[in-house]
Amino acid sequence: MTKQCICQLCTCGKHRCPHRPYGIVGKSDQPCAVTEYKSEFVPREGGGIRESFKPDYTVQTNTAPLDDETTHKHDYIKHPVDKARSYKPEEVYVKRGDFDALTSYNKEYTPKGGERAKLIKHESQKVVSAPFEGDPTYKADYRKWEPARTEAIRHDGGYIASADPFKGESTYSTDYLKHQGAARQAIRPDNAPMQSQEPFDDRTGYRADYVRHPQQERFQRVREEYAPNKASLDSLTTNKKDFTPKQADRTRSMKPDQQGYQSNARFEDSTTNKTDFKRWEVQPIQTHKPDEYRQKPGDMDLNTMYNSEFTPKPLAKVQAIRPVERRANDAKFDAGTTYGGDFRKWPGERTAAIRAQSGYAPPNAPFEGMSTYKGHYIPHPGGPQPSFKPSGVAYQSSAPFDDATMYRTEYTHKEVEPCPAALLDSPRSNMVLHHQEATGHKFYHSQQEAAIANYQQQVTA
């Protein structure tokens, strides 16, 4: 059995549950807007307007005479100003002759005769003087709850002061011992460049092993002369052969005529509002008077947890912790380090150059002069490639225009179903009220499920 709320039945997005007025349609996991605070909170009048903490505004006056010497008077120098010259605008040339004011708008849009629309006046609302009798949703859905007073949260015991006196020594001052030492010398090597007195050895493997060989003459290929084709050029292309001109009429414009629609029929003023709208008797709304504030008897207990548990304790003044004075050390500094004791210098030699074992050995056989391209390539006779470009003549047809589209042939009008939430509590609705929670939520289920549930109850009874 499926039970649904108004928020779950709504499909148009305009119906909301009164307890979830701002929820999203289709999501029923939103929190309920009805709370104990909103149902039981009663606003009360305050004790009065709080006094302002803004200081008084007093004007500071001075009895010294006003010094009217400004920087403008001191630095400004007057210059002679000439009279501005008048500027005469150019004369406007006006063409002679009559102005043709006939436009396409005045020519095509001519005035049409028509009757003036009559004013639709609604009947005045009738006010009923009888008092309203009924139970509003505010009293039915918002019920009063009996609140209980929150108990105060207190600690088990108070603060217990230590009986031992404060010595004023910390772990840092007792465990940390300062050692005197001089600054360590830098292990960085000297930045002086390494220089040698020996002459520069420019004898490389290329100079020692390179052997010059005589260069042979380059083979030159004999160019073949161009021999034109003696046959005449066939100018008939595939485009000219297949695409022949056709005779067809010019495509007619589908633009509608620019003429206004006129009708001599009488204007029908019957609307859905006039036919379907029913007037309901409206009674004046009764205002809800809030409950008067009543002060509780007895005096207010101003003793708080802070005043009762946090009492002043007698404490001694903390003594200042001063560092020990630095004393000079006359002992000789030991410069021996792990790096200086373990590091050893190894003798370095220059890497020998890698040279080739043998030089270039030219072949003894003579060059034939026949390449792979000349041996395997065979020339074939060929003419110019025909053009596949179509002609610029537009395609024309004498057949009538076929305006039968899939939309016109297959489209069928559908009936829009109304929202199920708008039909609740009406004869057209298929949903019946199932139950109502204590907070005011209403849940509905279908009439078939209600009939099945009633039949099961009768069978069990």
Side-chain angles (χ1 to χ4, degrees), residues 166-178 321 324:
F166 182 67
K167 297 181 180 180
E169 295 181 357
S170 61
T171 313
Y172 178 82
S173 58
T174 55
D175 298 345
Y176 179 73
L177 302 177
K178 290 188 176 181
I321 302 174
V324 184

Side-chain angles (χ1 to χ4, degrees), residues 317-450:
K317 189 176 181 180
V318 180
Q319 297 180 1
I321 302 174
R322 298 179 179 179
V324 184
E325 297 180 358
R326 185 176 181 180
R327 299 179 182 179
N329 192 0
D330 299 336
K332 187 177 181 180
F333 178 70
D334 186 8
T337 60
T338 310
Y339 181 81
D342 299 344
F343 182 72
R344 301 178 184 179
K345 294 183 179 181
W346 303 92
E349 297 179 356
R350 189 174 183 180
T351 306
I354 301 174
R355 299 177 180 178
Q357 298 180 3
S358 59
Y360 171 72
N364 298 326
F367 181 65
E368 297 178 357
M370 190 66 179
S371 61
T372 311
Y373 180 80
K374 290 184 177 182
H376 297 286
Y377 178 73
I378 301 174
H380 299 276
Q385 188 174 3
S387 176
F388 293 94
K389 182 178 180 181
S391 60
V393 181
Y395 176 74
Q396 299 178 358
S397 176
S398 58
F401 179 71
D402 185 10
D403 59 347
T405 60
M406 295 176 59
Y407 181 83
R408 293 185 177 181
T409 56
E410 299 183 3
Y411 178 75
T412 56
H413 290 277
K414 280 79 175 178
E415 184 180 357
V416 181
E417 297 181 358
C419 180
L423 303 177
L424 291 176
D425 301 334
S426 65
R428 297 177 58 186
S429 178
N430 191 27
M431 305 301 292
V432 184
L433 179 64
H434 181 267
H435 71 283
Q436 183 177 358
E437 296 183 352
T439 55
H441 288 273
K442 295 181 179 180
F443 289 90
Y444 298 85
H445 64 150
S446 60
Q447 296 181 1
Q448 293 79 1
E449 295 179 353

Side-chain angles (χ1 to χ4, degrees), residues 93-101:
Y93 174 73
V94 181
K95 294 182 179 181
R96 298 180 180 179
D98 297 335
F99 177 69
D100 186 9

Side-chain angles (χ1 to χ4, degrees), residues 83-112:
K83 188 176 181 180
R85 298 179 181 178
S86 61
Y87 173 74
K88 187 177 181 180
E90 299 178 358
E91 296 181 358
V92 181
Y93 174 73
V94 181
K95 294 182 179 181
R96 298 180 180 179
D98 297 335
F99 177 69
D100 186 9
L102 182 60
T103 61
S104 60
Y105 183 86
N106 297 332
K107 185 178 179 181
E108 298 179 3
Y109 292 89
T110 57
K112 309 317 189 277

